[in-house]
Amino acid sequence: MKHWTELRTAMLVAQTGTVSAAASALGVHRATVNRHIEVLEHTLGTTLFHRHARGYALTDAGRDMLEVTSRAEDMFKDLEGRNRNRASLLSGELTITALGGIASLIIPAIKEFHIAYPKIAVEFVAEERLAKLEHGEAHVAFRIGPKPDVADYVVLPFYQIRFGLYASRDYIERFGYPENGAFEGHEFVGAVSRPTAHPYSKWMRTHVPQTSLSLQTSEVPVQFEAVCAGLGLGFLPEHEAQGRSELVEILPPRTRWTANVWIVTHVDLHRTAKIQAFLRFVRKDNRQNSN
């Protein structure tokens, strides 16, 4: 941390866009800011800023510097509160990313976390795109499928989603119950034209012709609503289907119809107080089901 002062100065120049604004924020002279940037660029052997009439713009090397310095500052802020009353002092933001379809597995932990640490603003970003934790796009990611294999990621098991085949009682009244695995004449909700990442994809492509689809979709939340509405038979997460009186289990969950959910954090921030506090709630035994 020999050049932390210079790094912090450069970070403020990047954030404010001008030497004057950075100098004002630091309470130093403009010449001091310029000297810090010169020392840092000389030490790193690269140019961090493009100078222009309206201020300073980051180079590619400058953006790398800002990313690393911002992470380091976040870690220092967490370190400051480690030995204090964390329930009252932990603050800031916590960004969580996951598919919207597994929100019901995560929201109970977020609720308890919020009650314990009300000063932390939690953001839930629901999207299919995998957030780049190394770029600070999220603090905690929940990912479904094979265990992520990235050198700088800390990966922990969270849940096993078990899928079964279900139908609504309304559908059964109209089409009857498929006896002994005979699905001829029955309608389905799902996708069969191409493989998907869902663990039941192979069964669907083997047993369901395209003409038997009443609704084509690969989105699990859409499948859930469609099956509940009586459009056809469809695979649903067991934890979502249980307790829904309008649903009838056609085929029980099988081992090969299971998808693993992983908790992913970046190694640089994994041990910070804020993330460790959240993990304590999200990994409680009554919520974890990762046999």
Side-chain angles (χ1 to χ4, degrees):
M1 301 308 297
K2 181 179 178 180
H3 294 289
W4 173 245
T5 300
E6 289 84 357
L7 282 166
R8 189 164 182 270
T9 298
M11 181 177 69
L12 282 171
V13 172
Q15 291 172 342
T16 62
T18 67
V19 168
S20 298
S24 176
L26 291 169
V28 300
H29 194 273
R30 286 170 47 93
T32 301
V33 174
N34 284 323
R35 186 172 66 255
H36 285 178
I37 293 175
E38 290 173 3
V39 168
L40 194 56
E41 289 184 330
H42 176 74
T43 300
L44 297 176
T46 187
T47 301
L48 299 176
F49 295 95
H50 293 301
R51 282 76 167 174
H52 55 79
R54 294 187 300 278
Y56 280 39
L58 287 168
T59 63
D60 288 342
R63 281 188 283 273
D64 290 339
M65 175 277 300
L66 180 61
E67 175 193 327
V68 172
T69 306
S70 298
R71 275 210 311 263
E73 186 180 48
D74 196 8
M75 293 168 69
F76 278 129
K77 287 179 180 178
D78 279 304
L79 185 61
E80 289 175 353
R82 286 223 173 195
N83 296 316
R84 302 175 188 173
N85 185 346
R86 295 177 181 181
S88 61
L89 293 181
L90 274 186
S91 60
E93 299 177 350
L94 182 70
T95 302
I96 299 163
T97 179
L99 289 173
I102 64 170
S104 63
L105 298 174
I106 306 168
I107 292 299
I110 293 178
K111 174 187 175 182
E112 293 182 15
F113 178 76
H114 171 69
I115 292 172
Y117 302 99
K119 293 185 178 181
I120 297 179
V122 180
E123 179 182 12
F124 190 112
V125 180
E127 60 181 6
E128 290 189 15
R129 186 182 68 89
L130 301 181
K132 295 181 179 179
L133 303 185
E134 63 273 21
H135 292 170
E137 293 182 350
H139 295 93
V140 182
F142 291 83
R143 296 186 175 172
I144 303 175
K147 184 177 181 179
D149 183 18
V150 179
D152 290 335
Y153 286 1
V154 178
V155 182
L156 302 171
F158 173 59
Y159 202 88
Q160 285 188 331
I161 301 178
R162 290 155 44 90
F163 288 90
L165 187 66
Y166 294 87
S168 71
R169 296 189 185 280
D170 172 68
Y171 175 90
I172 297 298
E173 288 179 3
R174 290 185 292 119
F175 290 89
Y177 188 95
E179 299 289 349
N180 302 318
F183 295 104
E184 186 177 353
H186 283 277
E187 297 183 345
F188 285 79
V189 172
V192 298
S193 59
R194 61 185 182 277
T196 68
H198 301 310
Y200 50 81
S201 175
K202 183 177 179 180
W203 189 96
M204 286 286 292
R205 288 184 289 116
T206 301
H207 295 86
V208 181
Q210 181 74 31
T211 54
S212 294
L213 290 180
S214 58
L215 177 66
Q216 182 169 308
T217 179
S218 59
E219 299 296 324
V220 174
V222 176
Q223 288 179 193
F224 188 87
E225 295 299 327
V227 172
C228 288
L231 251 69
L233 309 172
F235 281 91
L236 304 178
E238 182 184 37
H239 70 273
E240 295 280 5
Q242 285 179 336
R244 297 294 295 259
S245 59
E246 73 270 32
L247 293 177
V248 177
E249 183 182 83
I250 306 301
L251 294 177
R254 299 176 182 174
T255 302
R256 60 179 177 273
W257 298 339
T258 299
N260 292 313
V261 184
W262 308 93
I263 310 171
V264 186
T265 57
H266 194 276
V267 66
D268 287 349
L269 297 178
H270 178 72
R271 288 295 176 188
T272 59
K274 182 166 54 180
I275 289 180
Q276 285 296 307
F278 178 69
L279 292 179
R280 282 196 294 274
F281 288 99
V282 84
R283 298 196 75 218
K284 279 185 177 181
D285 288 340
N286 66 336
R287 225 171 262 127
Q288 189 179 4
N289 180 31
S290 53
N291 298 327

